[in-house]
Amino acid sequence: MTFAAPLTGVVPPVCTPLTEEREVDVPSLLRLVEHLVEGGVHGLFVLGSTSEAAYLTDRQRRQVVEAVVGYVGGQLPVLAGAIDMATARVLEHVAAVTAAGAQAVVVTAPFYARAAHPAEIARHYRRVAAGSPVPVLAYDIPVSVPARLPAALVLQLAAEGVLAGLKDSSGDLGGFREVVTGLRAHPETAAFSVLTGSELITDAALAVGADGAVPGLANVDPHGYVRLYRLARAGDWDGARAEQERLCALFAITRAGDPARMGAGSSALGAFKTALHLRGIIDCPATADPQIPLSHEETQQIARLLAAAELL
Amino acid sequence: MTFAAPLTGVVPPVCTPLTEEREVDVPSLLRLVEHLVEGGVHGLFVLGSTSEAAYLTDRQRRQVVEAVVGYVGGQLPVLAGAIDMATARVLEHVAAVTAAGAQAVVVTAPFYARAAHPAEIARHYRRVAAGSPVPVLAYDIPVSVPARLPAALVLQLAAEGVLAGLKDSSGDLGGFREVVTGLRAHPETAAFSVLTGSELITDAALAVGADGAVPGLANVDPHGYVRLYRLARAGDWDGARAEQERLCALFAITRAGDPARMGAGSSALGAFKTALHLRGIIDCPATADPQIPLSHEETQQIARLLAAAELL
Amino acid sequence: MTFAAPLTGVVPPVCTPLTEEREVDVPSLLRLVEHLVEGGVHGLFVLGSTSEAAYLTDRQRRQVVEAVVGYVGGQLPVLAGAIDMATARVLEHVAAVTAAGAQAVVVTAPFYARAAHPAEIARHYRRVAAGSPVPVLAYDIPVSVPARLPAALVLQLAAEGVLAGLKDSSGDLGGFREVVTGLRAHPETAAFSVLTGSELITDAALAVGADGAVPGLANVDPHGYVRLYRLARAGDWDGARAEQERLCALFAITRAGDPARMGAGSSALGAFKTALHLRGIIDCPATADPQIPLSHEETQQIARLLAAAELL
Amino acid sequence: MTFAAPLTGVVPPVCTPLTEEREVDVPSLLRLVEHLVEGGVHGLFVLGSTSEAAYLTDRQRRQVVEAVVGYVGGQLPVLAGAIDMATARVLEHVAAVTAAGAQAVVVTAPFYARAAHPAEIARHYRRVAAGSPVPVLAYDIPVSVPARLPAALVLQLAAEGVLAGLKDSSGDLGGFREVVTGLRAHPETAAFSVLTGSELITDAALAVGADGAVPGLANVDPHGYVRLYRLARAGDWDGARAEQERLCALFAITRAGDPARMGAGSSALGAFKTALHLRGIIDCPATADPQIPLSHEETQQIARLLAAAELL
């Protein structure tokens, strides 16, 4: 199943606010969605990596999709991650998130499972697409899933109608371009959506031909990414670059966590939530276990960076 | 929670026979368990990597534990994998498998989730152990989980009583030895169980001080691994080596799958199931999606190797 | 030692033509240099990865620098790789290539040597710069040197005057941008040269703020990369993208080699030399041992791609 | 060219003592060799990784081989590393070390050079062997050379007479065993030497069938490894294990360096040299640039571990 038209614009991977007890904080989640919608975003991606999907139980995942789909009520497309290790488990998530109203699903190659051969990845997507009532986007995120998605494989599955889009969080703009330009040889893929997951080279990805962007930092500053997107669409590349550089400076919040105490993930997801908390959008900056919480001093560092960006 | 005494002996990671429709084939599973028990094994490990846990839905996982625990009725210890990406999801599996009667759980570091810092891994195991009614074994399997478990971390968590054992499928015998010898400095860890996941250096791991072994190939030839274990325990290292070398030759079945058509996982798990099928123990050699099935010719190659090992 | 002004423009990493006997073919090398100079390039980089520096003996390396420096006679800057495992060996190459007239040296982090800690990399560059009579550029090429050069380290060494530039062949445009924008905080680094090694996203790197590019494919089509550079400098980003996409299509020559028979390096370097041979610029397409030669059929495939690009 | 009989026993990779100015300290080197010979070792391996070959200039490498060969005067076999990136460069080292009297050369797969395909590695070894006047041992050391040497490739090159032996520093005992047992199918490889590079599982490698060991820690305690070897050869596996465990405890010296200040290589090589200095065997503990020197406190920690091992 494919889209009628490509998804375009800014589609933030929505953070999942938690309570101190690590339960989904639905009121905070809805305030965050409201903040994003008011920021002008063009769609929402729930249950992705930035949403801590890997940390949420099935019940919590369902809560998130139901709350967000219910809130936006069709105003905006809602994509949902169906993040799991292999085909049968992914299909269960596909069923759950589409029952809750997701309009598309985002699916990685198998992980943990040793099924990283191109033939195994192709079989995985063919089976998932056959069992999905909504379009399937492939999700290339080597920081979490070692099996990469070669451009040739993505193009083949796009031509077959198995894949409706790609969310590329690989940082490899050369490979991204290969998909973008390769699609032109396949007119039947006109509605295929090529989305970049990068926060730092969104302008470059749009210049190369991305349809849209899924930047985690857009949780904190949706207006910035929407401006960037509009400048790029208007062909104002100097303006887009200036906006992008401002956002890159803001991205320094993700490095506030001391690497002696925690990994890059705790630091980055902690920073997004801390920023949202400092901005008054969510009630609690807690991240899911076993991530390490940011300290008071690290929180102050984030506050300073937000103030410098006039977001506080 | 720790064991009263270390788990010892041969504890095969039990394959999960499937039907053509990729549902759990319970009668075949019970025949496989019977075959293992008759082979003299000392425990059973269900829902590990060799069991295709990554491929099974929660319902199928439950089916497996219930069937096996029901069948063995306390004769043998049954360990169960609680394989998932991060703490909360793992705890749900812990609850499910212990409700079904598993006597210990086997848990990896987080994966997909970016939580590979030693402090994050420690927090993960502390939270999981706090929520588990049964002992927790750490599972080091770098082919599936990039985050390694450093010996110092394992020893610390053993001394704290968080971990009751280690299943080491890393192939790194030097690190394995570091755990084995390090435990001696902690008398309170006397019941800590150090198990090797290797098929190919089981004799060496036992010589180094392993309490037991969890070899996938023991599905096919439990008698061989039980003999190997007994020879090692009797100090007959030459005999153990000869038995091990015989089993290494048999392990060639795992390379029957053509690497141009499939990955090493499809080949290895396919080979175990094909061998069990050829030996008349299970009804169908199917592996879970998206693994690639072995061809007729590859099956014949496995048959020849089984015949050479006098297992057919 | 730093540059008076940044190096800018297209600085091809010059292939090293070899005879059938795998000796440097100096006449072919000089014809290649002439072809590049006529193509309008702004500098030359000899003894880089594309030059097969790793495969050339010290005598052959010297031959290359002497021939090229002698030929260009100061018309264009000539940079030379000083590619070796650790500090003392690198310094010997620095002495050799500068004696032969190279105006700058290009140096990686240590490799083979286990010295990949940032403190070790910093010490390496400080020692090399202290012993070099010409400016030192850092070379980030993870496909050959696993130790990455973090942006913060590059910026620090730039601010200290240790590094005069960066050749980034990492493909990581986000990290590249971090260097480019980070330099602005250090006015003393005004002449620092940031060069991209990418063939496929040269336009994006220039848009982000690269001073120049070092694309291997410019051996085959220097005019194309010079046009791309000029369009980018003129702010004609649509024109630059169109030229880039044409060059990306041409880059398909690097995949002509059958992956069942050879690695990506044999295929890519073989393709550059085969294309230069087919275009009549060099006498022999041989690559250095132990690379695998391209077959007749693979050569025909390259000829077709060159013809499609109107380069044959 | 192959050996008349396999190399057996303990063949330490000889450290290269340096002066404060980082020149080879020949008198210290000869005292170290004397210490090893008195310790009962069966051969010497110079210019390996532990010898800091990657850090030494060609002149320094020559100095080392000449000094050691001259000193031992044929009493013991002297193997020399010919460590470089690709075939032609390796062949120059082969010529240099054999001119200086080395009786065998030790050669890795290509590195830096992108030539890691099995066909490229095979071509490399065939070319090197064809140009070598002495037997060639393959060197598998993934910590320095990412291209691994698959057992099947080693066995094929052994059967062809290209390789005379293997030094395996991979830590992968399963793969090591595959080589050992695979050789039995090739009677023409009777003199092939299988050596383990591991310090920590030397007993296990000998039990599996290694002909000998090349442990870096034998610089510090040659008597220990010689005892271990003799116990293993006598079939006293309990005694061998006890000796091995003692040596494993001593190996803790390699972790004295603070990982916040330096990498594992600076720490390990610094520890070997510091121990030799503390034991009065070499004049200066300096390691080659850019390695980080150990602090006074780290040196004291090594002294304590030596004292505990009754080596001080």
Side-chain angles (χ1 to χ4, degrees), chain B residues 16-206:
Chain B
T16 308
L18 300 177
T19 64
E20 287 290 357
E21 294 70 34
R22 271 60 178 178
E23 286 297 339
V24 177
D25 173 354
V26 173
S28 287
L29 173 60
L30 297 184
R31 279 200 307 277
L32 170 56
V33 168
E34 187 180 27
H35 156 73
L36 297 173
V37 172
E38 284 181 356
V41 304
H42 307 84
L44 297 170
F45 172 36
V46 297
L47 302 184
S49 306
T50 301
S51 320
E52 298 174 89
Y55 301 87
L56 302 177
T57 64
D58 288 354
R59 177 179 56 77
Q60 293 173 328
R61 291 187 181 196
R62 213 157 37 232
Q63 258 185 299
V64 167
V65 195
E66 285 171 359
V68 172
V69 169
Y71 184 84
V72 302
Q75 281 178 270
L76 293 181
V78 177
L79 290 61
I83 306 300
D84 218 315
M85 298 169 244
T87 315
R89 295 184 66 83
V90 167
L91 279 166
E92 302 242 311
H93 294 295
V94 168
V97 298
T98 54
Q103 284 125 299
V105 291
V106 183
V107 173
T108 71
F111 53 91
Y112 190 99
R114 294 171 64 192
H117 189 284
E120 292 158 347
I121 297 174
R123 189 178 173 107
H124 177 63
Y125 280 117
R126 288 190 188 114
R127 291 280 196 277
V128 168
S132 172
V134 300
V136 176
L137 290 90
Y139 191 178
D140 195 7
I141 180 165
V143 79
S144 291
V145 177
R148 293 296 311 276
L149 301 181
L153 180 63
V154 171
L155 291 169
Q156 180 189 328
L157 295 173
E160 289 179 21
V162 166
L163 291 180
L166 171 69
K167 174 184 185 302
D168 175 23
S169 297
S170 72
D172 170 12
L173 190 63
F176 186 79
R177 166 168 255 154
E178 199 179 337
V179 173
V180 168
T181 58
L183 288 166
R184 295 183 203 148
H186 299 283
E188 72 275 25
T189 64
F192 190 89
S193 302
V194 193
L195 307 175
T196 177
S198 172
E199 275 104 347
L200 301 176
I201 56 168
T202 309
D203 59 338
L206 291 168

Side-chain angles (χ1 to χ4, degrees), chain C residues 49 58 89 112 120 144 263 266, chain D residues 49 58 89 112 120 144 266:
Chain C
S49 306
D58 288 354
R89 294 183 67 82
Y112 189 100
E120 292 159 346
S144 291
S266 287
Chain D
S49 306
D58 288 353
R89 295 184 67 81
Y112 190 100
E120 292 158 346
S144 291
S266 288

Side-chain angles (χ1 to χ4, degrees), chain C residues 205-246:
Chain C
L206 291 168
V208 153
D211 295 301
V214 190
L217 187 63
N219 281 280
V220 179
D221 189 0
H223 300 84
Y225 280 98
V226 169
R227 267 194 304 272
L228 190 168
Y229 178 73
R230 289 183 184 151
L231 290 162
R233 279 295 162 264
D236 179 356
W237 296 110
D238 287 345
R241 191 179 61 243
E243 187 66 38
Q244 176 71 78
E245 291 182 357
R246 197 186 61 76

Side-chain angles (χ1 to χ4, degrees), chain C residues 49 54-56 58 61 83-87 89 112-114 117 120 123 127 144 259-260 262-263 266 289-291, chain D residues 49 54-56 58 61 83-87 89 112-113 117 120 123 127 144 259-260 262-264 266 289-291:
Chain C
S49 306
Y55 301 88
L56 302 177
D58 288 354
R61 290 187 181 196
I83 306 301
D84 219 313
M85 299 168 240
T87 315
R89 294 183 67 82
Y112 189 100
R114 295 172 64 194
H117 189 283
E120 292 159 346
R123 188 178 174 104
R127 291 282 197 275
S144 291
M262 70 185 74
S266 287
D289 279 321
Q291 294 171 96
Chain D
S49 306
Y55 300 87
L56 302 177
D58 288 353
R61 290 187 181 196
I83 306 299
D84 219 314
M85 300 169 241
T87 314
R89 295 184 67 81
Y112 190 100
H117 189 284
E120 292 158 346
R123 188 179 174 106
R127 291 281 196 274
S144 291
M262 69 185 74
S266 288
D289 278 322
Q291 292 171 97

Side-chain angles (χ1 to χ4, degrees), chain D residues 263-274:
Chain D
S266 288
S267 180
L269 298 184
F272 291 161
K273 289 184 153 183
T274 295

